[in-house]
Amino acid sequence: MNILTPVQVGMIGMGVVGTGVARILVQHADRITRRAGRPIRLKRVAVRDTGRTRDVELPAGVISGDAADLIQDPEISIVVQLMGGVDLARQQILAALTHGKDIVTANKAVLAEHGTEIFDHALRLGRSVAYDAAVAGGIPIVSNIGQCLTANQITSLHGILNGTCNFIISKMEEDHSDYASAVAEAQRRGFAEADPRMDVDGSDAAQKLAILVQMAFDTQIGWRDIHRVGIDRLEPAELQLAKELGYRVRLIASASHGNNGLELQVAPRLVRIGSPLAEVRGAYNAISVNGDMVGTIFYHGLGAGQSPTASAVVADLIDTVVGRSAITFRTTGHWSDHEHSLPFADVAQTRSRFYWRITVQDDPGVLAQIAGALGQNGVSIATLIQRESVFDSVPGYTNLVLMTHESSEGAALAAETQLRQLAVVRKDTGIRLPVLN
Ligand code: HSE
């Protein structure tokens, strides 16, 4: 084959990211050809709505509504799967592999649900799956863990993996917006998933964490099994109070290998102001990775959006054309290898300090009851703030804001349950957030 024969590519889905991919391939064809050693040609693009006007002009006949035709086209050697959803995406990827195509995808949901099946199928057929765009958009975290850090045992990773949540929290913190208007603004700006509940309840971050955990710890985890807490109960006041205590709140997806096994969680956590994760604003993503040889590495960049995500997709496409994806994929086929799997820690055993806001009746002896419930469960108070009017102006009530010394999640939960049974505690308010050490 002539070295300049174009590689024929089929793309399924041409929404925000697909349009960005087409734009790079069309507008920067010379650069891409140099990097790939051959031209990369979008031969066919399958879309749901063929009547829609596109921002990038493609030759007549490229766009169609028929993904099956594209998958079976013998001239196409790589299928870029960018359509969202799970079931149809799974079928398309498996069928494309069966038809001898290599895959590039940005679909984290399908990998988090069916990664093992897809990877096994690809390995059996000698094909590759490249998915750097599926986690943290433009940040090359998948290729870094899969290629650059392979001399290490990763000991922990902590990430801001959902740009929508970070945007919402930053907005509430900086503009004192309330939660609902910050969510609406994120939707207007197009960061949010089609169903924004997946963003704000921590599911999207858990799916990305599950993918990283498989690579970093050689351990398979169903994303639904990751303990997760969303950001929907945060109030602007929480963010202001955290700031007064020297912290910001961030939705942190974390995996760390401790004495009790692999600790996994997605939760809003207090992060000390000045630390790199605390300074991540707006729709940015960031990941702090600790390797036993390299120490700590910090990645920061745009985790969603057209150009950053398309940058990752096209890099994967080039890697597939030059053969790098095939090598990496073969050597990092961890997904079905359970030999080195780590045991999971029970969430109740994970230890941290806690920020705690408790709304209580402003009466004599109340503080003693609160301290008693915490003390009986072995939770020790480090800092306590009570002001006459913090923000909850329900007559007769006040807010206690406290930071605890380190305790287990189990002990803190037991104390919380006991607190909720006290007549002096308001049940419909209050929040407890772990602190990132
Ligand atoms: N909704 C996701 C986010 C998009 O906000 O990070 C990228 O997965």
Side-chain angles (χ1 to χ4, degrees):
M1 184 186 287
N2 184 324
I3 195 123
L4 287 179
T5 304
V7 178
Q8 309 283 355
V9 171
M11 185 162 81
I12 304 176
M14 197 170 167
V16 174
V17 177
T19 302
V21 170
R23 183 171 282 144
I24 297 177
L25 293 178
V26 171
Q27 294 178 357
H28 302 287
D30 285 353
R31 184 204 300 171
I32 302 307
T33 301
R34 272 202 316 280
R35 307 270 157 88
R38 303 162 62 176
I40 297 180
R41 180 174 161 238
L42 261 186
K43 185 181 180 210
R44 287 167 182 261
V45 178
V47 297
R48 280 202 185 99
D49 179 2
T50 49
R52 218 170 91 189
T53 318
R54 306 280 157 185
D55 292 344
V56 182
E57 212 171 307
L58 293 174
V62 169
I63 294 183
S64 81
D66 197 344
D69 246 20
L70 176 160
I71 287 167
Q72 288 167 27
D73 185 331
E75 281 183 14
I76 287 177
S77 54
I78 305 171
V79 169
V80 180
Q81 201 287 339
L82 298 178
M83 212 175 261
V86 173
D87 294 338
L88 185 57
R90 167 185 164 270
Q91 286 168 26
Q92 289 168 342
I93 291 173
L94 293 174
L97 288 166
T98 302
H99 282 88
K101 322 298 180 199
D102 291 309
I103 302 293
V104 173
T105 186
N107 187 329
K108 81 221 123 188
V110 75
L111 294 180
E113 293 280 359
H114 300 293
T116 306
E117 182 188 19
I118 289 170
F119 277 45
D120 283 353
H121 194 57
L123 284 169
R124 254 198 319 276
L125 295 168
R127 304 264 53 102
S128 63
V129 181
Y131 52 98
D132 213 325
V135 182
I139 301 176
I141 189 65
V142 168
S143 54
N144 265 257
I145 292 179
Q147 293 171 36
C148 313
L149 297 176
T150 44
N152 290 261
Q153 175 55 59
I154 308 287
T155 50
S156 68
L157 58 90
H158 299 286
I160 293 174
L161 298 180
N162 185 274
T164 300
C165 287
N166 210 59
F167 175 84
I168 292 169
I169 297 171
S170 305
K171 190 103 188 112
M172 289 169 69
E173 188 181 75
E174 287 158 22
D175 305 352
H176 301 239
S177 305
D178 63 22
Y179 175 75
S181 50
V183 173
E185 175 75 16
Q187 283 179 295
R188 262 198 303 279
R189 293 194 184 210
F191 311 132
E193 295 294 297
D195 178 359
R197 276 176 307 182
M198 296 289 285
D199 291 303
V200 300
D201 73 0
S203 298
D204 175 83
Q207 290 179 336
K208 293 167 182 165
L209 182 64
I211 293 171
L212 293 183
V213 164
Q214 311 228 20
M215 303 194 66
F217 297 96
D218 298 347
T219 298
Q220 210 174 320
I221 175 88
W223 71 269
R224 287 187 183 78
D225 295 330
I226 296 176
H227 175 75
R228 56 191 194 282
V229 180
I231 63 162
D232 43 349
R233 285 189 57 220
L234 288 181
E235 296 182 33
E238 237 65 74
L239 308 177
Q240 301 311 319
L241 286 163
K243 204 163 157 186
E244 284 178 34
L245 291 161
Y247 294 89
R248 292 193 216 289
V249 179
R250 293 289 179 259
L251 184 76
I252 303 290
S254 62
S256 52
H257 190 195
N259 293 336
N260 300 320
L262 193 54
E263 296 181 1
L264 301 172
Q265 65 169 300
V266 174
R269 289 168 89 157
L270 265 67
V271 185
R272 191 172 282 287
I273 289 175
S275 65
L277 284 170
E279 301 313 318
V280 178
R281 312 284 175 104
Y284 278 82
N285 280 193
I287 305 138
S288 172
V289 179
N290 222 291
D292 59 355
M293 297 295 131
V294 74
T296 302
I297 308 186
F298 188 74
Y299 303 85
H300 178 264
L302 283 166
Q306 186 168 81
S307 297
T309 313
S311 153
V313 171
V314 175
D316 272 350
L317 202 42
I318 294 171
D319 275 2
T320 305
V321 171
V322 302
R324 273 193 294 269
S325 292
I327 295 168
T328 311
F329 186 68
R330 264 201 311 280
T331 56
T332 56
H334 305 310
W335 289 45
S336 49
D337 166 16
H338 299 285
E339 204 185 322
H340 305 289
S341 282
L342 298 173
F344 296 111
D346 179 354
V347 174
Q349 292 179 315
T350 59
R351 297 185 67 78
S352 67
R353 302 182 67 202
F354 293 95
Y355 160 95
W356 216 322
R357 177 168 62 80
I358 309 163
T359 309
V360 295
Q361 280 175 19
D362 200 2
D363 286 326
V366 169
L367 189 54
Q369 290 187 51
I370 303 300
L374 293 171
Q376 281 159 32
N377 290 285
V379 179
S380 171
I381 297 171
T383 312
L384 173 67
I385 305 172
Q386 178 182 352
R387 279 193 309 234
E388 282 189 32
S389 168
V390 182
F391 47 88
D392 185 343
S393 55
V394 179
Y397 283 88
T398 187
N399 276 287
L400 297 178
V401 179
L402 47 97
M403 295 286 284
T404 72
H405 288 294
E406 193 177 284
S407 77
S408 69
E409 169 65 27
L413 189 60
E416 187 175 309
T417 308
Q418 197 169 326
L419 285 173
R420 286 189 181 281
Q421 285 159 3
L422 295 177
V424 295
V425 173
R426 262 181 80 103
K427 314 289 182 277
D428 59 344
T429 180
I431 192 163
R432 176 171 61 88
L433 303 172
V435 177
L436 185 65
N437 293 325

